[in-house]
Amino acid sequence: QPAPDDGLDEESPQWRTYTQRAYDELRARILDGRLAPGTKIVVRVLAEDLGASPTPIKNALAALEREGFLETVAYRGYSVPHTDPDVVCEAFEVLSALDTLAVRRIVAAADRAAVVTELRGMIARQRPAEGGDRTRSGFELNFHKVMWQRSGNRQLVVAAEHQRGLVLVASGGLLELPERRPEVRAEHRAIVDAIARGDVAEAVRACDVHMTLSAQAAVTRLVRGRDGR
């Protein structure tokens, strides 16, 4: 029986749908641990499992590698990356540098007021932690993604997305610790307020403080997860 996407043009919506489905499923398996760190990815096995031809699987794997969810080793193909506290700290260090570049560009941009309005709207929609809620709200890194995109530097976005993937793999997909949401909201507000004032130095300082605290929280979660706590 032919695979469901046989004969489809790569620009067709249906072809893109098969690739997106493969991407979404593989990303979910990496984040929830079904594909554990160190797991070697075999295209044929995945294609059989997902009921798809190898083409969308290969395209999904390439996208996941670009975003840091997979790594490639010469002659060995794709595998799920191992993460440790050093990798997490390094990823946050890079993200902090990219945030610094983003805020500098936003402050200098003609549409700074519009970006500030958008970011403040995101902060207003942030929900505080409720009880033991550990849902993947996505707010934390989506806030930064908007900053990267509004910086107007496409290469910045590409680099930041890769580091974001490493952080997500390390944290099991939990984008923010619920107990840190009030602090995260205040830290984001400090960044946006400084951008609104055109105060580059304060915006950079606020980004550095926020990323340092976020890195500490991510490392704590990673260590606790490995210890089974």
Side-chain angles (χ1 to χ4, degrees):
Q1 181 177 355
D5 57 326
D6 282 352
L8 292 177
D9 184 85
E10 291 190 5
E11 295 302 316
S12 72
Q14 194 174 3
W15 185 91
R16 290 196 296 271
T17 297
Y18 288 127
T19 299
Q20 186 64 49
R21 286 177 180 172
Y23 171 92
D24 290 343
E25 178 61 24
L26 292 172
R27 185 177 185 274
R29 292 185 184 191
I30 292 169
L31 293 180
D32 67 18
R34 283 177 287 169
L35 290 174
T39 300
K40 187 177 185 302
I41 306 299
V42 180
V43 172
R44 175 183 54 79
V45 173
L46 282 175
E48 293 175 356
D49 187 23
L50 298 178
S53 74
T55 301
I57 300 295
K58 291 177 181 178
N59 281 279
L61 292 175
L64 289 164
E65 192 273 335
R66 287 194 300 272
E67 296 174 6
F69 293 97
L70 293 172
E71 63 183 4
T72 55
V73 179
Y75 310 111
R76 294 181 60 186
Y78 295 102
S79 63
V80 181
H82 287 281
T83 55
D84 57 43
D86 287 341
V87 170
V88 173
C89 289
E90 290 169 0
F92 270 104
E93 185 176 10
V94 174
L95 287 172
S96 182
L98 294 173
D99 269 4
T100 293
L101 175 57
V103 299
R104 289 183 183 278
R105 291 177 64 91
I106 292 170
V107 167
D111 64 345
R112 183 179 76 195
V115 177
V116 167
T117 297
E118 181 177 7
L119 292 172
R120 282 179 171 163
M122 293 187 71
I123 294 172
R125 292 190 297 274
Q126 183 186 14
R127 297 292 182 266
E130 297 179 0
D133 178 29
R134 296 180 66 80
T135 57
R136 297 176 174 88
S137 72
F139 175 85
E140 159 69 326
L141 288 178
N142 283 339
F143 175 90
H144 292 274
K145 187 171 184 178
V146 168
M147 287 208 310
W148 305 331
Q149 291 172 337
R150 300 299 179 265
S151 75
N153 185 322
R154 290 173 293 179
Q155 298 309 309
L156 185 157
V157 176
V158 172
E161 288 286 2
H162 186 84
Q163 301 304 318
R164 183 179 78 151
L166 291 175
V167 171
L168 286 169
V169 172
S171 66
L174 191 65
L175 300 181
E176 64 190 51
L177 295 175
E179 61 270 24
R180 242 186 65 74
R181 285 182 194 164
E183 288 78 11
V184 165
R185 187 176 186 180
E187 291 158 17
H188 286 168
R189 186 181 293 112
I191 295 170
V192 177
D193 287 348
I195 292 174
R197 295 192 303 271
D199 189 339
V200 173
E202 181 58 27
V204 169
R205 191 197 71 80
C207 283
D208 183 61
V209 168
H210 171 58
M211 281 298 183
T212 298
L213 294 174
S214 296
Q216 291 172 354
V219 168
T220 297
R221 172 170 164 72
L222 177 62
V223 172
R224 284 177 178 172
R226 291 186 172 183
D227 292 343
R229 288 179 284 175

